Amino acid sequence: MKIKNAMIDLETLAVDSDAVVLTLGAVKFDPFTDEIVDKLHLKLDVNSQIEKGRITCEDTLAWWGRQDKKVRETAFSEHDRIDVDKALDVLLEWSMNTSRVWCQGPSFDFPILASLFIQYEKKHPWEFWHQRDSRTVTSLIPENIKEKINFSAHNAVEDCVAQAKCVQYVYKKLGITHTF
């Protein structure tokens, strides 16, 4: 089976749709098996986003100050930062042939990404009906699945892997073998 599901996660400097994006993580996965492939981790240039009017928030910056040092270093390091235009092009190409795109909740990652694509005058890589919410799926069973997964929270690509594993776990537990 060709993998057509993608999980995307953002780490940002605010929670509004025009937030500065520090990092973007993505993985492709099959929700019906344990397969997770094609990891993508992009560190976006922060200064150019601020110059374009994207925002930061003192509360979010304070929250980052309370996170694990290693996670902060990964998110804030200037090493390997790329131009936002290029990052969006990479994501566009990476997401070709995906029919479902997942995020952890519908009101954070999706609106921020949509705002970036609009602001940088890029074609959005998926339609609204392709969007899925992993938080809703994981709430279908009375277990804290993430406690069973060893991962480094707030590392965008590791969050994607954990969220994909949660969806896979729920599908398996509920006996879901196909969706429409």
Side-chain angles (χ1 to χ4, degrees), residues 61-73:
L61 293 171
W63 175 86
W64 273 109
R66 296 186 299 272
Q67 301 311 303
D68 179 79
K69 182 180 178 185
K70 184 177 179 183
V71 171
R72 280 194 327 262
E73 287 173 353

Side-chain angles (χ1 to χ4, degrees), residues 76-92:
F76 285 88
S77 163
E78 288 301 316
H79 181 68
D80 290 336
R81 292 237 173 250
I82 66 170
D83 179 73
V84 178
D85 273 315
K86 173 134 176 76
L88 294 176
D89 288 343
V90 169
L91 180 61
L92 257 165

Side-chain angles (χ1 to χ4, degrees), residues 24-170:
L24 182 152
V27 298
K28 292 180 182 172
F29 73 106
D30 181 350
F32 308 107
T33 69
D34 294 334
E35 191 170 5
I36 297 174
V37 298
D38 205 7
K39 296 177 184 176
L40 177 67
H41 190 245
L42 301 172
K43 294 171 64 175
L44 282 63
D45 178 64
V46 170
N47 293 330
S48 66
Q49 292 179 71
I50 292 170
E51 289 171 10
K52 274 196 168 273
R54 299 195 71 81
I55 65 167
T56 64
C57 169
E58 289 300 320
D59 290 343
T60 305
L61 293 171
W63 175 86
W64 273 109
R66 296 186 299 272
Q67 301 311 303
D68 179 79
K69 182 180 178 185
K70 184 177 179 183
V71 171
R72 280 194 327 262
E73 287 173 353
T74 299
F76 285 88
S77 163
E78 288 301 316
H79 181 68
D80 290 336
R81 292 237 173 250
I82 66 170
D83 179 73
V84 178
D85 273 315
K86 173 134 176 76
L88 294 176
D89 288 343
V90 169
L91 180 61
L92 257 165
E93 184 174 330
W94 180 90
S95 62
M96 297 288 277
N97 301 318
T98 56
S99 59
R100 291 184 181 90
V101 180
W102 298 72
C103 287
Q104 183 81 352
S107 61
F108 184 76
D109 303 273
F110 285 132
I112 294 171
L113 275 173
S115 172
L116 265 179
F117 277 102
I118 290 166
Q119 189 171 31
Y120 283 81
E121 300 176 355
K122 300 283 184 179
K123 179 186 178 301
H124 202 277
W126 52 81
E127 300 295 339
F128 69 90
W129 60 84
H130 295 149
Q131 297 176 4
R132 300 294 185 269
D133 171 23
S134 62
R135 182 175 288 127
T136 300
V137 170
T138 57
S139 72
L140 295 174
I141 61 174
E143 297 176 47
N144 186 348
I145 305 163
K146 281 194 175 177
E147 287 180 352
K148 300 175 183 193
I149 300 169
N150 182 21
F151 75 106
S152 184
H154 310 301
N155 173 305
V157 78
E158 287 193 39
D159 283 350
C160 287
V161 170
Q163 291 158 196
K165 284 181 178 183
C166 288
V167 170
Q168 292 168 330
Y169 181 87
V170 171

